[in-house]
Amino acid sequence: MSKTVGDFFVERLYDWGVRTIFGYPGDGINGVLGALNRARHKISFIQVRHEEMAAFMASAHAKFTGQPGVCLSTGGPGAAHMVTGLYDAKCDHMPVLAICGQAPRTARGAHYTQELNLDRLFQDVADYVQEAEVPSQVRLLVDRAMRTVLGRNGVGVLILPGEIGRAHV
C-alpha cells in the first residue's frame, strides 16, 4: 500500500513532537483520520463530543504540559465550532495547531454542503492560516505552522481539503 499525504502529514506532526490530537471526525478530514488510525502507536487520537471541546482540550493540553496542543475537525460548521476554544488559546498565549478539513476545491462556490471560507473565519484568531493546494506543499505548511505556533505561543490553522489528505505521495 502506498503512502498517502495524510500518512506523511501525521509522520511530520510526530517529528515535531505531537503525541496527542483531540478531535471530532468527519468526511472532510478522513484522509488524516485514516492515517492517525494507522499510526495509533505514535499519536493518540482522543475523540471528543464536540469540535469546540477539541480546541479547549488542545489549549488545556498546552497549558498543563508545555507542549503544543493539536485539535482536528472536518470543515464547515465543524471547523467553525473550534473558534471559541482557539480564542482561549490565543488569549492565554498557548501554542495550539488546528487541523481542518475542507470541501473539495472542485465543488466550492456551488453551494456545496457545509462550505465555509475557513481562511477568513480563522484570520483573527490565528497567527498562521494556510490551506494546502497541492500535496507537495504539506511539508512546508506543517513546518511553518509549527514554527509559528511554537515561536509566537499562538494559534496556527492548517486546512486540508479532503482530496489532498487522501492523495498518494
Side-chain angles (χ1 to χ4, degrees):
M1 183 167 93
S2 64
K3 184 187 286 191
T4 67
V5 173
D7 293 317
F8 176 81
F9 182 80
V10 168
E11 287 173 12
R12 198 75 192 139
L13 289 175
Y14 180 82
D15 291 344
W16 275 97
V18 173
R19 299 298 182 265
T20 304
I21 296 177
F22 304 94
Y24 193 81
D27 289 348
I29 199 71
N30 276 343
V32 174
L33 289 169
L36 283 169
N37 187 48
R38 290 186 290 278
R40 66 177 156 236
H41 61 283
K42 291 183 173 185
I43 297 179
S44 298
F45 177 70
I46 310 293
Q47 183 173 333
V48 299
R49 291 183 179 231
H50 193 277
E51 297 87 350
E52 183 178 18
M53 191 52 55
F56 274 117
M57 291 172 79
S59 181
H61 177 82
K63 290 173 188 177
F64 291 108
T65 68
Q67 300 297 314
V70 180
C71 54
L72 174 144
S73 117
T74 190
H81 288 162
M82 289 200 305
V83 171
T84 305
L86 295 177
Y87 271 108
D88 179 72
K90 177 183 179 168
C91 290
D92 289 344
H93 304 286
M94 290 295 114
V96 171
L97 175 67
I99 305 161
C100 300
Q102 176 61 293
R105 289 172 293 173
T106 56
R108 289 191 217 156
H111 302 290
Y112 189 80
T113 304
Q114 299 188 347
E115 178 184 348
L116 289 178
N117 189 330
L118 296 179
D119 54 339
R120 286 188 189 162
L121 174 70
F122 291 116
Q123 72 184 21
D124 181 59
V125 71
D127 294 311
Y128 182 82
V129 181
Q130 280 298 322
E131 178 176 344
E133 296 291 332
V134 294
S136 61
Q137 285 181 291
V138 171
R139 181 185 185 120
L140 171 71
L141 296 182
V142 172
D143 290 351
R144 174 62 73 65
M146 291 302 292
R147 282 188 198 108
T148 302
V149 163
L150 293 168
R152 294 185 184 174
N153 279 330
V155 174
V157 178
L158 289 177
I159 303 165
L160 297 174
E163 68 270 22
I164 298 288
R166 290 186 300 270
H168 291 275
V169 286

